[in-house]
Amino acid sequence: MREYTKVEELQSHYSDFYKDVHGFRPRGSTNEQWDSEQWLQGEIDGLHAYLKDLGSTPAGRVQLREMGFCTDDKEADEEWAAAEIRAREEEEARYAEADRQDSVLAELLAPLTQAEQIEMDMK
């Protein structure tokens, strides 16, 4: 198995962490920056500082939860998770009801089987 250099590990960590925070991989760095251990560590530290600042306000903590991060506010995190579960269950119930309605309509609109047609003709 290949051993990664410290710079390669930092590059991977920074790229993944940046994507977790911003939703896309980092762009716009120069080759010199990308190959600099000091620059990469500074960027990682900057992302940590950004998340810490974001978590310092109630609105920021909501944004962190929406991004998929947990905060130091365990009770609020649990409330958020419960609300997410409820929303998912409600959405699944709506889909199940729509599927049930589609099934009923399909039965009503489907052509009669030969046996059903004979039965209708006999009436």
Side-chain angles (χ1 to χ4, degrees):
M1 185 167 158
R2 180 175 181 262
E3 291 291 322
Y4 293 97
T5 66
K6 173 115 182 185
V7 169
E8 289 171 328
E9 288 179 11
L10 284 170
Q11 289 169 339
S12 177
H13 178 64
Y14 170 58
S15 182
D16 291 345
F17 191 21
Y18 189 97
K19 185 176 181 194
D20 289 343
V21 172
H22 297 291
F24 53 90
R25 301 261 176 216
R27 297 178 180 90
S29 61
T30 65
N31 287 337
E32 291 80 21
Q33 289 171 325
W34 192 246
D35 292 334
S36 167
E37 183 178 326
Q38 183 179 1
W39 183 84
L40 289 164
Q41 190 60 58
E43 292 297 301
I44 292 167
D45 293 345
L47 290 171
H48 281 287
Y50 170 73
L51 293 177
K52 184 177 180 182
D53 287 346
L54 203 55
S56 67
T57 65
R61 287 189 292 276
V62 168
Q63 187 176 349
L64 283 172
R65 288 185 204 100
E66 288 173 347
M67 293 164 63
F69 291 99
C70 292
T71 67
D72 291 335
D73 189 347
K74 184 175 178 169
E75 185 177 315
D77 286 343
E78 289 172 352
E79 285 178 28
W80 181 264
E84 286 287 307
I85 290 169
R86 282 192 304 277
R88 194 173 319 117
E89 289 171 346
E90 290 169 2
E91 183 178 27
E92 288 173 2
R94 283 192 301 275
Y95 280 120
E97 177 59 19
D99 288 346
R100 188 195 65 75
Q101 290 176 2
D102 287 347
S103 176
V104 168
L105 287 173
E107 284 182 32
L108 292 173
L109 298 175
L112 297 175
T113 64
Q114 186 176 12
E116 291 170 331
Q117 186 62 49
I118 291 171
E119 188 177 320
M120 290 294 289
D121 291 343
M122 293 176 67
K123 290 182 182 180

